[in-house]
Amino acid sequence: MGVAGLTFEDNINRKIEFVNRSLCEYFTKEENYQKKIYEAMEYSLFSGGKRVRPVLALAAAELFGQEESVMPFACALEMIHTYSLIHDDLPCMDNDELRRGRLTNHIVFGEAMAVLAGDALLTRAFEVVLKHSRLSPQQMIKGLAVLAEAAGTEGMIGGQVIDMECEGRAVGKDVLRAMHLHKTGALIIAAVRLGVIAGNGDSEDDWRLSAYARNLGLAFQIKDDILDVEGNTELLGKKTGMDEENRKTTFVSLYGLEQSKKMLEEYTQKAIEQIMFYGEKSEFLKEYAYFLLKRDN
Amino acid sequence: MGVAGLTFEDNINRKIEFVNRSLCEYFTKEENYQKKIYEAMEYSLFSGGKRVRPVLALAAAELFGQEESVMPFACALEMIHTYSLIHDDLPCMDNDELRRGRLTNHIVFGEAMAVLAGDALLTRAFEVVLKHSRLSPQQMIKGLAVLAEAAGTEGMIGGQVIDMECEGRAVGKDVLRAMHLHKTGALIIAAVRLGVIAGNGDSEDDWRLSAYARNLGLAFQIKDDILDVEGNTELLGKKTGMDEENRKTTFVSLYGLEQSKKMLEEYTQKAIEQIMFYGEKSEFLKEYAYFLLKRDN
């Protein structure tokens, strides 16, 4: 999987295709009494996600010449991300009917099946790693621990709980930051850490890449908040203005639009600084930070 | 943890206490923004469950003199079982308000928190094993694979989907059996298999114990169906007659009460036959099969 000479565009498209191909390969399904659950899982897993987390895992591993070996973990991250979206969209949570321009899982398959499809994708994430990873048992265990912690109550789920607890309350800057560092940040940080583990990087690498991802994760969320105000519904695949309608505290509501845009630039810049150490090899991670900054969906 | 000379009663109580103590030890919680989720998880995890799956894991490992080493997996099984009950009780699923004589999770904490508490317990199951297991990396990976598969679409979740798909339809004997082998059977089979892995048993051991658990799991479900007809609401901690009210196909509705009782005896006997091989050492597993047969809740 040489990447020399590829433009950024070609490289990212190649990575996304590689991820999609691997997801297809790992996502085995059965023709049995419970086949409906596979349809529901598949529907959301292959609905045109940006594959941010797997792409970051691949890019981090690539720093150590190890892109391919992180793939089962990369796909596991995408499955966990997808399950969290399915559960987030449920009527008792955000009650969303549209996601990426398509009907949400529970609208198509019903609430009960959507709950189970989410549960199943979370479970399948671990199954995929255990079945397909060719890393050493020690690396696998280290990676699984990173994955589980990032998905759990001190990671992504913790962020969702903070989000819920904040509903209808005045939220301070510290809480907003903590929420997003957990809700979006945890899996993004896990992605690059898994790349370091697959690449046998050391604790300095882990530190640098984690710092990159922490800043990137905040930038990512700020961009999301900006898009909800300034974005194009069609490009986004969902309604804009929802944060204001739901009276959600966002970076834009707390800092204003101009200041938020400045912060977006700053966090992106800070992310990039963390990986300068890797020189030319960090080119993709650098370009990717700008790519996420400029995205329109 | 010597067990020589203990009566069955003392032995099972000792095991359950050991499990509860370990669950407490592993169930760390934090005083932070998301502390509510820990309350919700704790509420259901410590609500007087029978601890069938962890007890079976301990008993299987004990055959090989390894009771203690399987404990993280034993507790993981209980966490997965508990999460499945929380999600099963949701309004969009079985819509139950009472479980083990207490209000169900979503009644106390709200639906959104109950969804997340279930998600969190499933995730925490893996975290607990990864953090606390002292088995070799190879054993851990083998065990985690068994755990994840048993919890997934070809295991417990698969059974829940079959159950849902059967609602309001005439269900045949084969489908009923397949549903329960997945829904209840998968985790019960995984419990003894994890005991074999912790005890470094061979494939013959795996085969024997799995056969024991498969029969025990069916007996367990038949007993459940009988209790729903003949049981005592107070002892059960939930309303009886629900299966008929919900027009669910059960062993009793398909085979009649008398035949179901005969099958309960037969499956229990068949379970016990599978472990005769272990002679005196299998005494607890044998007594436990009778204990489950005679239970009144």
Side-chain angles (χ1 to χ4, degrees), chain A residues 38 87 119 124 153-154, chain B residues 34 38 87 119 124 153-154:
Chain A
Y38 293 107
H87 282 187
D119 296 345
R124 184 57 71 97
T153 49
E154 292 301 306
Chain B
Q34 63 265 40
Y38 293 108
H87 282 187
D119 295 345
R124 184 57 70 98
T153 48
E154 292 300 307

Side-chain angles (χ1 to χ4, degrees), chain B residues 216-231:
Chain B
L216 191 77
L218 284 168
F220 188 87
Q221 187 57 50
I222 296 171
K223 178 73 185 189
D224 258 8
D225 290 353
I226 293 173
L227 282 172
D228 189 67
V229 176
E230 291 196 327

Side-chain angles (χ1 to χ4, degrees), chain A residues 19-27 46 51 75 78-79:
Chain A
V19 168
N20 287 336
R21 223 164 44 235
S22 303
L23 278 172
C24 278
E25 185 196 326
Y26 300 160
F27 187 71
F46 299 98
R51 312 301 191 200
C75 289
E78 190 67 14
M79 288 179 173

Side-chain angles (χ1 to χ4, degrees), chain A residues 30-55:
Chain A
E30 307 285 334
E31 267 298 323
N32 50 18
Y33 295 130
Q34 64 264 39
K35 64 183 174 187
K36 196 93 191 165
I37 188 92
Y38 293 107
E39 279 176 49
M41 293 161 82
E42 199 170 25
Y43 177 82
S44 291
L45 193 56
F46 299 98
S47 67
K50 292 184 284 291
R51 312 301 191 200
V52 175
R53 292 146 197 84
V55 164

